[in-house]
Amino acid sequence: MSTATVIHNSNEACCTIPPVKSDYAPKGSYKSYAGFTKVYVTGPALPADTAIVTVFDIFGFKPQTQQGADILAEQLNAHVVMPDFFEPDDALPVEAFPPVTDADKARLQAFFGGPANPGPNLQKLLRVGHALKADGAKFVGAYGLCWGGKVSVLAGSVPETPFGGIAIVHPAMLSAADSEGLKVPLGIYPSKDEPIEEYEKIVEIVSKNPYKAKNDYKFYKDTFHGFAGARADLDDPDNKKYFEDLYSTLVRFFTNAKA
């Protein structure tokens, strides 16, 4: 008897577009922090006025994602941390992408229901946010790519969240309902592969919250899911343009959020 695959992530682009090789040499280093064995760290040491948490995409530590973190660290003069949210499991292996067989597709959905399950990872994100505050960061922000967008927006909705601003970048599993309880400013930056209806509902919801002057929205309608993470091909002029614009936009968003 066959068993139907449970669909945790219905974003087709997220589940089919493979990562791209990059020769970028990250500027940071790895250390253990806040209960994580492996955390990519870049920027000035703690205590710092500004700390940012990166929730990477399903491919884990990749040069393009680290390049984005390095940009934020330099331009915000921020202590940026990128924990290995999937440990003790591994990130999605590159060779398994894109999934071809039904078994491959089922394993991918099991990954979204297991290591990339938003619920347990929400608690991990809150843990590192509280640790950064305890270690002297005056402002702590977070941004999530792909599945990490959902985790990040949920983290901005909990009572006494440690975060002062949340940004979501080409977010998978996008749901307007997640934004209804937001307690901090939101930056939302979907690609053409995210549901425009959900994006518009979110913009409407957060335009009425107390932080509306600090919210920020940009719909990257001419580029694809993953353009700012491991799927970014920075040898392509158009992708590079959107990548650079996105991280410049994040700099402005977090600067305004902490003002």
Side-chain angles (χ1 to χ4, degrees):
M1 184 176 72
S2 62
T3 302
T5 298
V6 177
I7 304 300
H8 297 279
N9 181 5
S10 60
N11 185 313
E12 183 178 356
C14 179
C15 296
T16 56
I17 301 174
V20 176
K21 180 176 172 54
S22 169
D23 295 325
Y24 177 77
K27 298 178 181 179
S29 59
Y30 294 97
K31 72 172 189 177
S32 59
Y33 183 69
F36 292 95
T37 301
K38 187 176 183 181
V39 179
Y40 178 73
V41 180
T42 183
L46 291 170
D49 283 346
T50 303
I52 305 291
V53 185
T54 305
V55 186
F56 52 34
D57 62 26
I58 57 175
F59 301 105
F61 297 112
K62 292 297 180 187
Q64 302 97 312
T65 310
Q66 292 168 310
Q67 183 172 353
D70 289 343
I71 290 170
L72 295 182
E74 180 177 354
Q75 295 193 14
L76 289 168
N77 193 33
H79 181 81
V80 180
V81 298
M82 184 187 302
D84 185 355
F85 283 93
F86 300 145
E87 64 180 34
D89 296 294
D90 295 324
L92 200 68
V94 173
E95 59 271 15
F97 226 80
V100 177
T101 67
D102 287 345
D104 291 338
K105 294 174 183 178
R107 279 192 290 271
L108 174 60
Q109 292 300 328
F111 180 81
F112 283 111
N117 186 307
N121 284 293
L122 166 61
Q123 299 307 315
K124 296 178 184 178
L125 178 54
L126 292 171
R127 186 180 74 214
V128 71
H130 284 298
L132 290 166
K133 293 285 282 188
D135 287 337
K138 296 178 181 177
F139 172 90
V140 180
Y143 69 101
L145 311 175
C146 180
W147 74 284
K150 189 173 188 72
V151 180
S152 299
V153 76
L154 292 174
S157 302
V158 301
E160 299 181 1
T161 178
F163 299 106
I166 294 293
I168 58 178
V169 180
H170 43 74
M173 300 175 278
L174 188 63
S175 172
D178 293 338
S179 66
E180 291 176 352
L182 269 170
K183 296 173 174 57
V184 296
L186 174 69
I188 177 170
Y189 311 110
S191 74
K192 65 181 179 64
D193 295 314
E194 280 71 62
I196 183 66
E197 299 85 1
E198 292 301 306
Y199 166 70
E200 290 174 343
K201 289 177 186 176
I202 292 171
V203 170
E204 181 179 0
I205 290 168
V206 301
S207 68
K208 300 172 184 176
N209 69 22
Y211 311 101
K212 58 186 178 183
K214 294 187 175 185
N215 294 328
D216 189 49
Y217 335 108
K218 187 166 186 177
F219 178 37
Y220 286 84
K221 63 182 180 62
D222 296 320
T223 192
F224 58 92
H225 176 88
F227 74 92
R231 295 169 165 102
D233 180 0
L234 299 182
D235 291 329
D236 178 87
D238 284 338
N239 195 165
K240 183 180 180 182
K241 175 183 71 174
Y242 292 123
F243 181 95
E244 292 175 344
D245 183 84
L246 181 280
Y247 284 99
S248 294
T249 299
L250 285 178
V251 168
R252 290 193 298 272
F253 167 71
F254 284 120
T255 299
N256 190 40
K258 69 179 182 177

